[in-house]
Amino acid sequence: MSSTKKLHVEVWSDIVCPFCYIGKRYYEKALADFSQSAEVELEFKSFQLDADFVQDATNKYNLTDALAKKYQRSIEEIKAMQQQITETAKSVGLDFNFDASIRFNTYNAHRIIHIAKEKGIGNQLIEALFSAYFTKGENLGDSATLNEIAINIGLTTEDVQQALTNDSYAYKVKQDIQEAANIGISGVPFFVFNRKYGVSGAQPPQVFLETLQKSYLEWQQTEALKIVSNGAACDISGNCD
C-alpha cells in the first residue's frame, strides 16, 4: 500500500451549525481512539444553512431573535433549545455563548476556507471560525474580522483578497454544495467515509469509531495489491522461470 495514500473522510458542515462543531469533537475523540489514525485524512466541505441571508456587515444581527422569527417560535423556546445545545457542547469541552453569537452569511468564510485548505491549514481555520462564532461572539460578517482570524492561523491578507475576489473559490463553494445535493445531503454535519459510508449528524464517538474501523479495513483490502495469477517472469536479479 502506498504510504502517501490515506483513508479519506469528508464532512459537509457550516460554521453557524452548533452540531457541526460538536460533531467535530465527537469525531476527533473517535479518531484519538483509532489505532490507525495516522492513515486517516479529514476534508471539510462547504455547506450553507442560510445561503439567502442578506447581510449588512455593520448590523450585529441577534441570533436568538433571528431564530425565533425564522421558526416562528417564542424567544423562551429558542433559549431553552440553545441551553440544551450548550450543555451538550460542555460535555465535549466547548463553551457556547449563543447570547453573543452574531448571525452572518457564511459564504465569504467558506471561500477563505478553500484557500486555507490549499495551503494545508483549512482545519485550523475552521476551528478558529467555530470558536469565534460560538464562543467569542465575533462578527464574522465583517471582512476585517475574517481577515484577522485568517492571518492568525497563517494566511496573508493577499490570500484572503484572492479568496474573496477570485471566482474559482466561489466555484469551489458552490461545487461542494451541489455535490452534497447530488448524494442526498440535506442537513449537516454529514460525514462520508471513503465515499461508501455516511454518518449523519453529531453521532456519539463510538459510532464514528466503528465506522472508521469498518471503512479502514475495507479500504486497506482495496488498496492492497491482489495477485490473481502467477506466470513466467524474470526477477530483478536476472533469473527467469
Side-chain angles (χ1 to χ4, degrees), residues 1-224:
M1 190 189 319
S2 170
S3 61
T4 62
K5 291 187 177 180
K6 293 187 177 183
L7 173 67
H8 194 51
V9 180
E10 300 157 289
V11 55
W12 276 261
S13 67
D14 198 5
I15 300 147
V16 295
C17 165
F19 291 110
C20 290
Y21 201 5
I22 294 169
K24 181 176 182 290
R25 284 293 186 271
Y26 284 157
Y27 171 82
E28 289 167 349
K29 172 65 170 64
L31 189 65
D33 293 335
F34 182 53
S35 60
Q36 305 297 331
S37 60
E39 296 184 64
V40 180
E41 62 181 0
L42 178 66
E43 179 185 3
F44 280 82
K45 297 275 197 171
S46 297
F47 194 95
Q48 283 200 277
L49 291 172
D50 196 0
D52 296 327
F53 175 57
V54 179
Q55 187 168 349
D56 174 2
T58 64
N59 187 355
K60 294 186 176 183
Y61 295 93
N62 181 278
L63 175 64
T64 304
D65 289 345
L67 291 174
K69 291 176 183 177
K70 181 176 180 178
Y71 296 111
Q72 298 184 330
R73 299 175 70 176
S74 69
I75 294 292
E76 290 72 22
E77 287 176 306
I78 296 298
K79 283 185 174 293
M81 177 191 70
Q82 290 174 334
Q83 184 58 37
Q84 288 181 333
I85 297 172
T86 298
E87 291 302 318
T88 301
K90 282 182 180 179
S91 72
V92 292
L94 297 175
D95 184 18
F96 280 9
N97 185 8
F98 284 111
D99 287 339
S101 296
I102 301 168
R103 187 185 184 202
F104 77 109
N105 190 304
T106 61
Y107 181 60
N108 283 340
H110 279 295
R111 294 178 72 161
I112 299 171
I113 287 170
H114 274 284
I115 201 167
K117 282 170 60 176
E118 288 181 355
K119 296 179 178 296
I121 53 176
N123 291 0
Q124 292 95 310
L125 179 57
I126 290 162
E127 179 67 29
L129 292 172
F130 273 140
S131 177
Y133 180 73
F134 285 107
T135 300
K136 300 175 183 176
E138 297 187 36
N139 186 3
L140 299 182
D142 176 59
S143 57
T145 301
L146 273 178
N147 186 68
E148 182 179 358
I149 293 171
I151 289 173
N152 285 340
I153 61 92
L155 291 178
T156 66
T157 298
E158 290 73 21
D159 292 330
V160 174
Q161 286 303 309
Q162 184 179 1
L164 297 180
T165 57
N166 189 320
D167 287 343
S168 67
Y169 295 101
Y171 175 76
K172 289 176 186 292
V173 176
K174 294 174 182 177
Q175 187 178 44
D176 280 355
I177 293 171
Q178 184 59 54
E179 192 176 14
N182 291 345
I183 60 179
I185 297 173
S186 59
V188 290
F190 197 99
F191 291 77
V192 176
F193 294 74
N194 201 31
R195 281 298 167 118
K196 186 171 184 180
Y197 297 106
V199 173
S200 177
Q203 297 287 345
Q206 186 60 30
V207 173
F208 285 117
L209 181 58
E210 290 172 357
T211 310
L212 278 168
Q213 291 167 336
K214 184 177 180 64
S215 300
Y216 179 81
L217 180 61
E218 294 185 5
W219 170 78
Q220 191 177 45
Q221 292 171 342
T222 301
E223 288 295 306

